[in-house]
Amino acid sequence: IAITRITYSLDNPRFTDRVIRLSDISVANVKRRSPMVAFSRLNYFNDYYDIYGDFDSGWSWIGKKRDTSDQEWLVWLTLVNRLIPCVFIHHFVSQIIKVNKIFQTLCYWYILSSIVFLYYYLGMLGMLCTILQPTFLHIMTCICSKNAAWTIHILYMFVIHILKIPNGPFQSWLEITDEKHYILTLVMCWIHLRSISHNMDSIDDQFSSSNNFIQKLAYCLYLPTLFLGPLILYHEFVESINQSHQYWSCQKFLTFMLNLIRYMFWCIFTELLLHFIYINAIQYHLQVLQNLNSWGLFGLGYCMGQFFFIKYVVIYGTCSNLCYLDDIKAPSQPKCIARIHLYSDMWKHFDRGLYKFLIRYIYVPIRKSDRCFGKLFASFLCFTFVFIWHGIQINIFIWALLNFIGILIENIGTSIGKICLFYFSFFTAAVKFLIRFVHEHFRISKLYPVI
């Protein structure tokens, strides 16, 4: 993460033009200190002219600036304040529908509640874009084969990449702010994954029904996971809404509240730390980064990874908790990256929804079709898809490439380990057999000595 975030800064002219005011702090002093010391003891950013809006005034009782340079975290905090009340109304009405067993109305309510919020937050044109996307993809792929459907979906991801361009024709046509443009394109990316999941499951004819399109629209626009995930696969969503209704018990509500308090704690804790450790802002100040020693860079990379992890614990954890209250099965929160030592486990336990998506729709089908190089080629296609979906940028490419190389090295090491284990087991068995044979031979010789 640290490497790719710094690489993005090197390739983005917006950040390479930033001016760093060293004032009375020499480069030599920064070089001999870790980033935390540079922030907390030397107060490096106190005299920094914040031309790009990386900081705000922060909490008044702390008296320090707050790092707001992570766009995703800042947008989520702004969004969640508006989203949470609407989600509780969404859940309350959903429970009324389930209690009265009007299950055919449930999907319509999911669609309606999301449309109302999208209209309130993004306006008419933004709301229409989110509705027309799954509709268009459904029409284009409903009678296609898997290969043709995948071709359409990949091409559409390139279209989304063009729509992501800041201050481009799409944003100008919608006449929306940078924040709303970011949210809209983010929603379109998530909807696209859900459209693929629905499309692949429908081609397999596992969940075809008369109201298939309504279920798809409800699935794509499901409010608790609409903006920031986590990804729920289509068959899991259908199974969740078709299961027998369970009333809200005291135990369930208590579990929900405890989890909500837990994620609120980590949210507040992260916000507090951003007043003292400017872990996101420093990555845009290359003069400081280039003069950090190895210990400083390692510490910076570790802190960036931990912030990234806590951010998604809060985001995914909160959204999954809201799904739990609505009896929708959602992936759990990420596993702490500090106790993961395998690349495969990082992908398996961080974004669990995306991992299951890649395994179910890309990895397993490709591996079955090619028995010789299926595993390697399937992994390559998975990371290619991740690269295209996240955005066709140099930092995303480096990140995906390094992850693929890590997986490749791990697989090679695992294969070598299995071969060595086989030969070691064979050698051990042979030695045991030889020892037993010699032992039996000498025992027989003692009983029946040769005359």
Side-chain angles (χ1 to χ4, degrees), residues 50 53-56 66-71 73-74 274 280-281:
D50 187 17
D54 290 337
F55 299 90
D56 63 10
R66 179 175 65 115
D67 183 359
T68 59
S69 57
D70 188 284
Q71 184 184 18
W73 177 253
L74 184 64
L274 290 176
N280 298 309

Side-chain angles (χ1 to χ4, degrees), residues 56-256:
D56 63 10
S57 56
W59 297 343
S60 58
W61 58 275
I62 293 180
K64 292 180 69 69
K65 295 186 292 186
R66 179 175 65 115
D67 183 359
T68 59
S69 57
D70 188 284
Q71 184 184 18
E72 190 174 28
W73 177 253
L74 184 64
V75 166
W76 185 82
L77 289 176
T78 306
L79 179 65
V80 75
N81 292 328
R82 302 179 183 180
L83 186 61
I84 291 295
C86 297
V87 169
F88 279 112
I89 296 174
H90 167 274
H91 281 9
F92 180 73
V93 177
S94 297
Q95 286 301 307
I96 295 176
I97 294 173
K98 291 178 181 179
V99 167
N100 291 280
K101 299 182 179 180
I102 318 174
F103 296 108
Q104 64 271 20
T105 312
L106 187 62
C107 289
Y108 290 99
W109 166 244
Y110 285 163
I111 297 170
L112 178 62
S113 59
S114 297
I115 287 176
V116 170
F117 183 81
L118 287 168
Y119 175 76
Y120 158 73
Y121 189 72
L122 296 176
M124 177 62 74
L125 292 178
M127 180 265 291
L128 288 176
C129 287
T130 57
I131 297 175
L132 291 176
Q133 180 188 356
T135 305
F136 171 76
L137 289 172
H138 183 78
I139 295 171
M140 292 293 293
T141 60
C142 61
I143 57 173
C144 292
S145 63
K146 274 193 175 182
N147 292 335
W150 269 114
T151 303
I152 293 172
H153 287 302
I154 295 298
L155 291 175
Y156 198 86
M157 283 197 292
F158 284 98
V159 173
I160 294 177
H161 177 68
I162 296 173
L163 300 180
K164 284 182 178 180
I165 299 174
N167 301 316
F170 182 63
Q171 184 178 355
S172 301
W173 175 66
L174 293 175
E175 297 181 350
I176 55 178
T177 62
D178 291 342
E179 176 189 330
K180 291 184 177 180
H181 174 253
Y182 173 78
I183 285 290
L184 177 58
T185 53
L186 193 63
V187 169
M188 294 177 72
C189 289
W190 282 110
I191 287 178
H192 194 68
L193 282 186
R194 299 184 190 111
S195 296
I196 295 174
S197 178
H198 167 269
N199 191 203
M200 295 300 111
D201 285 343
S202 297
I203 290 175
D204 292 336
D205 202 30
Q206 297 178 11
F207 300 97
S208 59
S209 59
S210 58
N211 62 339
N212 187 273
F213 175 70
I214 298 300
Q215 281 189 352
K216 174 189 177 175
L217 208 57
Y219 164 64
C220 290
L221 300 178
Y222 184 61
L223 190 58
T225 59
L226 176 61
F227 293 93
L228 290 168
L231 178 64
I232 304 172
L233 300 187
Y234 179 68
H235 71 277
E236 295 175 338
F237 180 81
V238 172
E239 290 169 359
S240 297
I241 62 175
N242 289 335
Q243 67 183 354
S244 58
H245 172 62
Q246 297 178 357
Y247 291 93
W248 285 353
S249 62
C250 293
Q251 180 63 36
K252 183 172 185 175
F253 192 74
L254 179 62
T255 302
F256 168 78

Side-chain angles (χ1 to χ4, degrees), residues 32 39 51 224 244 284 302 328 342 379 412 444:
R32 289 194 297 267
F39 298 149
I51 189 174
S244 58
Y284 302 127
Y302 180 80
I328 300 295
L342 295 176
S379 298
I412 293 173
I444 294 173

Side-chain angles (χ1 to χ4, degrees), residues 190-384:
W190 282 110
I191 287 178
H192 194 68
L193 282 186
R194 299 184 190 111
S195 296
I196 295 174
S197 178
H198 167 269
N199 191 203
M200 295 300 111
D201 285 343
S202 297
I203 290 175
D204 292 336
D205 202 30
Q206 297 178 11
F207 300 97
S208 59
S209 59
S210 58
N211 62 339
N212 187 273
F213 175 70
I214 298 300
Q215 281 189 352
K216 174 189 177 175
L217 208 57
Y219 164 64
C220 290
L221 300 178
Y222 184 61
L223 190 58
T225 59
L226 176 61
F227 293 93
L228 290 168
L231 178 64
I232 304 172
L233 300 187
Y234 179 68
H235 71 277
E236 295 175 338
F237 180 81
V238 172
E239 290 169 359
S240 297
I241 62 175
N242 289 335
Q243 67 183 354
S244 58
H245 172 62
Q246 297 178 357
Y247 291 93
W248 285 353
S249 62
C250 293
Q251 180 63 36
K252 183 172 185 175
F253 192 74
L254 179 62
T255 302
F256 168 78
M257 290 304 300
L258 289 176
N259 284 330
L260 190 62
I261 293 171
R262 172 188 173 194
Y263 298 127
M264 287 177 61
F265 164 78
W266 283 113
C267 180
I268 296 171
F269 178 79
T270 304
E271 283 289 282
L272 179 65
L273 284 185
L274 290 176
H275 288 78
F276 300 95
I277 305 176
Y278 303 145
I279 199 64
N280 298 309
I282 190 178
Q283 63 190 284
Y284 302 127
H285 297 263
L286 301 184
Q287 289 91 328
V288 177
L289 294 176
Q290 290 169 354
N291 289 283
L292 289 176
N293 58 23
S294 297
W295 283 103
L297 284 174
F298 297 156
L300 175 64
Y302 180 80
C303 291
M304 290 173 67
Q306 286 300 313
F307 172 80
F308 189 79
F309 158 69
I310 295 176
K311 177 173 69 174
Y312 276 95
V313 165
V314 174
I315 294 174
Y316 281 0
T318 303
C319 295
S320 297
N321 198 33
L322 292 171
C323 292
Y324 165 76
L325 193 63
D326 199 28
D327 297 322
I328 300 295
K329 183 182 178 182
S332 58
Q333 66 181 42
K335 185 177 179 180
C336 180
I337 62 174
R339 58 190 184 94
I340 294 178
H341 65 284
L342 295 176
Y343 263 93
S344 57
D345 284 349
M346 179 68 77
W347 280 93
K348 186 182 300 182
H349 299 296
F350 193 87
D351 194 335
R352 302 171 194 262
L354 181 60
Y355 172 79
K356 289 193 291 185
F357 176 93
L358 296 173
I359 293 296
R360 181 180 178 89
Y361 303 121
I362 301 178
Y363 186 83
V364 172
I366 295 298
R367 189 175 179 183
K368 286 181 179 178
S369 63
D370 189 349
R371 296 185 179 276
C372 297
F373 298 98
K375 191 173 183 180
L376 178 62
F377 186 57
S379 298
F380 173 76
L381 287 184
C382 286
F383 285 105
T384 302

